[in-house]
């Protein structure tokens, strides 16, 4: 018995020793940053900012891999099942890392148990954006048109449980409509479909459509927030237009598989925090429509608690919206 205990203790010390050495040398090779949506959309743009921060602060290549599908859950499952050694990390969001269980009874991962939080990267309010020639220019006209023509409406989204899906779910349940929802692997392909007139509208974090709105190729009908976006000062909010239930600013954040050595978690969290404090990074995020996040909300502990509180806050709202 004593011999077994001694052997087990020796094995644990050996593993701890290996982990210690691995953590000290980390990162010794290229790290994969899984972005669970298509290239070119909000998740991808944010994931690439994160990868660049890590590359510069940790002196190793961090390479984005886009693994789209099933509302971001395909890529998130891949990250959850990766070796917890710091060489596969996830740039996920409110949908993949908090609310996905509301939509998938057999999800294949538990956002709270299977991931370790590294840090909050950004929060962006969502917009209701329509194709250029859509016959409505504000929420009031949108509601009137949608109610009169429910069978004609096509909504693009990034899959069940994605934040674009969740945003429009809130919108639809507040108005009492059930249009045809068309899934894509991300909102970048939704935008392309909207530009070519195949899709009528979408609900997407501001950075997804900003440049096309500014170029006049699509139009924003509402900001799903209390405050207007300084980048789109002429676009009224959902609150101003009498639809406060349409209010969503999803978070984007970095996670690693549960069981990743604490020293690696600390290195990643420290690098992310340093990068997010850089003036150039803050400017880039602000230019993309991100709201500023005070430092105390960004680290692993704060993010872990935020994921739990957002899950508790939004699950009942979503379930009620889905039931309608
Ligand atoms: C994207 O990057 O495609 C979107 O942020 C995904 C989503 O709607 O959840």
């Amino acid at each position: 018995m004593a011999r077994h205990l001694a052997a087990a203790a020796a094995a644990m010390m050996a593993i701890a020793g290996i982990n210690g050495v691995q953590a000290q040398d980390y990162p010794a090779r290229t790290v994969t940053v899984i972005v669970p949506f298509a290239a070119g959309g909000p998740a991808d743009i944010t994931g690439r900012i994160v990868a660049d921060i890590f590359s510069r602060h940790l002196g190793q290549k961090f390479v984005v891999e886009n693994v789209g599908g099933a509302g971001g859950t395909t890529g998130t499952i891949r990250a959850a099942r990766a070796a917890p050694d710091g060489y596969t990390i996830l740039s996920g969001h409110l949908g993949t890392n908090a609310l996905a269980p509301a939509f998938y009874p057999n999800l294949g991962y538990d956002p709270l148990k299977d991931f370790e939080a590294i840090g909050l990267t950004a929060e962006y309010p969502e917009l209701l954006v329509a194709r250029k020639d859509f016959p409505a220019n504000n929420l009031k006209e949108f509601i009137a048109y949608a109610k009169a023509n429910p069978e004609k409406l096509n909504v693009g989204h990034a899959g069940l449980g994605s934040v674009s899906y969740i945003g429009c779910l809130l919108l639809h349940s507040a108005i009492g409509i059930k249009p045809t929802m068309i899934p894509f692997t991300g909102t970048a392909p939704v935008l392309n479909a909207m530009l070519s007139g195949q899709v009528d509208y979408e609900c997407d974090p501001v950075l997804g459509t900003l440049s096309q709105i500014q170029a006049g190729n699509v139009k924003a009908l509402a900001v799903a927030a209390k405050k207007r976006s300084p980048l789109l000062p002429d676009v009224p909010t959902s609150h101003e237009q009498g639809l406060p239930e349409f209010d969503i600013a999803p978070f984007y954040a970095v996670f690693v598989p549960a069981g990743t050595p604490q020293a690696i978690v600390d290195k990643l969290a420290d690098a992310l925090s340093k990068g997010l404090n850089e003036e150039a990074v803050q400017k880039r995020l602000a230019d993309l429509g991100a709201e500023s996040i005070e430092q105390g909300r960004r680290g692993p502990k704060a993010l872990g608690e935020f994921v739990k509180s957002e899950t508790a806050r939004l699950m009942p709202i979503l379930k009620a919206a889905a039931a309608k």
Side-chain angles (χ1 to χ4, degrees):
M1 181 67 176
R3 234 186 17 221
H4 283 146
L5 282 177
M12 277 172 72
M13 279 168 71
I15 290 168
I18 290 166
N19 282 345
V21 171
Q22 278 178 348
Q24 228 170 42
D25 293 349
Y26 177 83
R29 56 186 165 84
T30 300
V31 176
T32 299
V33 181
I34 293 184
V35 166
F37 293 98
D44 181 62
I45 297 169
T46 308
R48 282 173 201 277
I49 292 174
V50 159
D52 176 63
I53 288 174
F54 286 134
S55 298
R56 287 188 291 105
H57 285 270
L58 295 173
Q60 192 57 257
K61 274 193 196 149
F62 279 66
V63 177
V64 166
E65 192 184 335
N66 297 92
V67 186
T73 61
T74 305
T76 307
I77 289 175
R78 169 111 54 106
R81 294 186 184 159
D85 57 6
Y87 288 95
T88 304
I89 69 177
L90 174 74
S91 182
H93 69 12
L94 172 72
T96 55
N97 287 80
L99 302 177
F103 301 95
Y104 297 90
N106 302 307
L107 181 57
Y109 65 91
D110 181 330
L112 298 176
K113 290 194 187 132
D114 292 335
F115 287 100
E116 204 78 64
I118 297 295
L120 187 60
T121 315
E123 286 171 318
Y124 312 95
E126 288 198 17
L127 301 174
L128 168 60
V129 186
R131 62 181 158 80
K132 193 178 170 174
D133 49 359
F134 188 73
N137 291 309
N138 54 44
L139 256 185
K140 197 171 162 221
E141 289 173 13
F142 175 85
I143 295 168
Y145 181 81
K147 285 193 164 169
N149 301 280
E151 75 295 341
K152 279 197 196 159
L153 288 184
N154 283 328
V155 192
H157 62 88
L160 188 64
S162 63
V163 295
S164 43
Y165 181 91
I166 293 169
C168 272
L169 178 64
L170 297 178
L171 173 75
H172 298 156
S173 93
I175 300 174
I177 56 168
K178 280 195 175 170
T180 307
M181 308 267 292
I182 307 172
F184 290 78
T185 54
T187 51
V190 174
L191 176 60
N192 284 338
M194 207 159 49
L195 287 169
S196 64
Q198 291 162 301
V199 156
D200 290 324
Y201 67 96
E202 65 163 328
C203 302
D204 200 28
V206 60
L207 69 165
T209 50
L210 184 63
S211 59
Q212 295 293 350
I213 294 168
Q214 286 164 338
N217 296 329
V218 290
K219 58 186 174 187
L221 308 189
V223 186
K226 286 198 183 76
K227 273 190 326 195
R228 290 192 182 199
S229 165
L231 302 172
L232 298 165
D234 298 334
V235 180
T237 68
S238 51
H239 289 255
E240 282 173 68
Q241 299 186 78
L243 208 67
E245 302 91 330
F246 181 45
D247 183 327
I248 178 166
F251 71 76
Y252 286 71
V254 180
F255 299 86
V256 289
T260 300
Q262 188 59 43
I264 292 179
V265 168
D266 292 344
K267 270 194 182 183
L268 288 166
D270 182 57
L272 184 61
S273 170
K274 285 187 175 134
L276 291 174
N277 280 336
E278 289 168 356
E279 217 171 287
V281 172
Q282 292 193 352
K283 179 169 181 332
R284 169 106 175 99
L285 286 170
D287 287 347
L288 292 168
E291 286 160 357
S292 70
I293 303 174
E294 61 276 22
Q295 195 156 3
R297 289 188 56 220
R298 285 203 223 120
K301 191 163 178 287
L303 174 59
E305 282 162 10
F306 186 51
V307 169
K308 282 191 203 142
S309 65
E310 281 294 87
T311 306
R313 182 176 76 85
L314 289 166
M315 275 299 188
I317 298 176
L318 279 190
K319 285 187 178 155
K324 277 198 204 168

